[in-house]
Amino acid sequence: VSICGFYQGVLERTHNFKQLALRNVFISFVSGVAGITLALMEYGIFALVASRLIGPLVNLIVIRNLVAFSPTFTFDVEIVREIWQFGGRLTFSQFFNFSSGRIFELTAMFMFGPIAMALTDIARKIYITLNAVLITPLNPVSLSYLSKSSEPRKLYFRFLLLVCSVVFPAFALISAFSDIIIQFIFGSKWESSIELMTILGWAIVPQLLTWYLHNLCIRFNRPDSVLWLHVINFSMVFTGMAAAVIIDVSLVDSMWMLVAALFLSSILRLVYVALIVHLSIFRLLVLYFISAAYFALVHFLSRMLFESFALEWPAINDPSQQFYWAFMYCSLVMLALSP
């Protein structure tokens, strides 16, 4: 993973964002197909392990072929010192970011054991794949355009609106149809993941609205603020985890508490960055609540309309037929809502 990070930095520095985006799509597709295939072949937890290991391996092979560079494998203390002075805070920032990003699995494992962690991982698998395909590849792109723009504040709002208009409907539909997705892709033995998938879909609202804030801080020469953004998020989600442990709630309730902590954390981070780079707090909060309402509307209304028009739905017991009709319906909804 560290070696891949070096080569990725080289591509970002030369503005090869198209290659990076295509690489992410390919890696997500390969690891996702491998994990789902092994899960369907009833390899259980080994399907999850294989999916996690295949991604970095494919990444190294692909990115090494994209960058025509071979390291000399020499060590220089002075260079290491210069790198640490430049990226020390970024290192701590990434530590907090990584810990916060695994909070759902950590909570499930700490409170309920490996089975609960596996259920949570299954519930998040499709979301993580979509995240890697739709959201992560735009990170270097947003930084590049914000850096070049003479009106970065306006560009940030436009960029965020465009991304939200595409991503929110997809995640809302997956959350609304989680029962059909779990039954078809993973089988009835993973039914306990259905409610978790429904809950965790809501996490995209606070995550996406704060996903590119660090690029805005960098654009306004405030890289030190990136560390504090992750510290705020880390503190809030681990407070949510601690509250779940102290109250001793169920797995489902603990996931709700973590999602609520993410919502609160995102509001704090938005206000923090708005004060630093002089964004309109009112405009940010309006966008925030409109986005949450839009997600909720798509989530509840899409499933309600689907069940209203699918008059023969109760008679369809085959998961493949249920998935087929749900997929066709969701495709039409996405087409209708596309910007």
Side-chain angles (χ1 to χ4, degrees):
V1 174
S2 300
I3 297 174
C4 292
F6 167 77
Y7 287 112
Q8 180 173 332
V10 174
L11 290 174
E12 290 178 357
R13 186 175 182 179
T14 54
H15 301 285
N16 290 313
F17 299 118
K18 183 178 180 179
Q19 291 181 334
L20 287 169
L22 292 175
R23 177 213 57 163
N24 285 333
V25 171
F26 179 73
I27 293 168
S28 300
F29 176 78
V30 172
S31 59
V33 168
I36 292 174
T37 302
L38 291 174
L40 293 174
M41 295 173 65
E42 300 185 353
Y43 278 88
I45 192 68
F46 294 104
L48 306 178
V49 175
S51 178
R52 292 295 179 89
L53 294 178
I54 288 174
L57 180 61
V58 175
N59 186 18
L60 178 59
I61 295 173
V62 171
I63 204 168
R64 179 63 185 85
N65 287 300
L66 291 176
V67 180
F69 176 82
S70 296
T72 59
F73 299 102
T74 57
F75 183 81
D76 191 318
V77 176
E78 187 61 31
I79 294 178
V80 172
R81 185 180 293 110
E82 292 177 0
I83 292 174
W84 178 254
Q85 290 175 354
F86 175 78
R89 291 182 179 179
L90 181 60
T91 300
F92 286 113
S93 173
Q94 291 303 312
F95 166 76
F96 288 119
N97 186 37
F98 175 83
S99 302
S100 303
R102 302 297 183 273
I103 190 63
F104 295 105
E105 290 88 347
L106 288 174
T107 302
M109 179 67 184
F110 181 76
M111 293 182 64
F112 306 100
I115 295 178
M117 187 186 72
L119 293 172
T120 306
D121 192 88
I122 286 293
R124 293 193 69 203
K125 184 162 291 294
I126 295 179
Y127 295 132
I128 292 173
T129 302
L130 283 179
N131 194 314
V133 172
L134 297 176
I135 303 174
T136 303
L138 295 176
N139 192 39
V141 177
S142 68
L143 177 59
S144 176
Y145 280 104
L146 286 172
S147 301
K148 297 176 182 178
S149 175
S150 59
E151 297 182 335
R153 297 176 183 87
K154 291 183 179 179
L155 179 63
Y156 180 77
F157 277 108
R158 293 173 184 171
F159 177 81
L160 202 57
L161 281 170
L162 178 61
V163 176
C164 288
S165 65
V166 174
V167 174
F168 281 166
F171 278 73
L173 290 170
I174 292 172
S175 177
F177 291 87
S178 58
D179 54 336
I180 299 174
I181 295 172
I182 292 291
Q183 290 279 359
F184 175 72
I185 296 180
F186 301 104
S188 58
K189 63 181 179 180
W190 295 100
E191 285 183 349
S192 299
S193 295
I194 292 175
E195 194 168 1
L196 298 178
M197 179 179 280
T198 302
I199 296 168
L200 296 177
W202 288 83
I204 190 60
V205 177
Q207 287 175 341
L208 184 56
L209 290 171
T210 56
W211 191 271
Y212 306 105
L213 283 179
H214 64 286
N215 289 337
L216 202 58
C217 294
I218 294 173
R219 167 61 180 83
F220 286 95
N221 298 317
R222 292 299 302 269
D224 56 308
S225 301
V226 177
L227 173 60
W228 289 110
L229 283 175
H230 292 308
V231 169
I232 293 171
N233 191 45
F234 177 86
S235 302
M236 293 305 302
V237 295
F238 269 82
T239 299
M241 175 183 174
V245 172
I246 294 172
I247 301 173
D248 194 21
V249 297
S250 65
L251 177 61
V252 171
D253 290 336
S254 67
M255 295 299 111
W256 274 122
M257 292 180 69
L258 291 176
V259 171
L262 274 177
F263 271 92
L264 182 57
S265 167
S266 62
I267 293 175
L268 292 176
R269 284 179 286 159
L270 284 171
V271 172
Y272 172 70
V273 172
L275 293 174
I276 291 175
V277 303
H278 305 295
L279 279 176
S280 170
I281 297 178
F282 175 76
R283 190 177 177 185
L284 272 176
L285 292 180
V286 167
L287 175 61
Y288 189 95
F289 290 110
I290 290 177
S291 299
Y294 178 57
F295 182 95
L297 184 65
V298 176
H299 175 90
F300 292 111
L301 194 59
S302 61
R303 185 59 185 256
M304 183 181 68
L305 291 176
F306 178 73
E307 293 183 349
S308 298
F309 287 106
L311 300 179
E312 299 297 325
W313 181 253
I316 301 177
N317 296 319
D318 184 11
S320 60
Q321 292 184 22
Q322 294 178 355
F323 183 82
Y324 170 78
W325 290 111
F327 178 79
M328 296 299 294
Y329 171 78
C330 291
S331 299
L332 292 175
V333 173
M334 286 294 299
L335 183 63
L337 296 177
S338 61

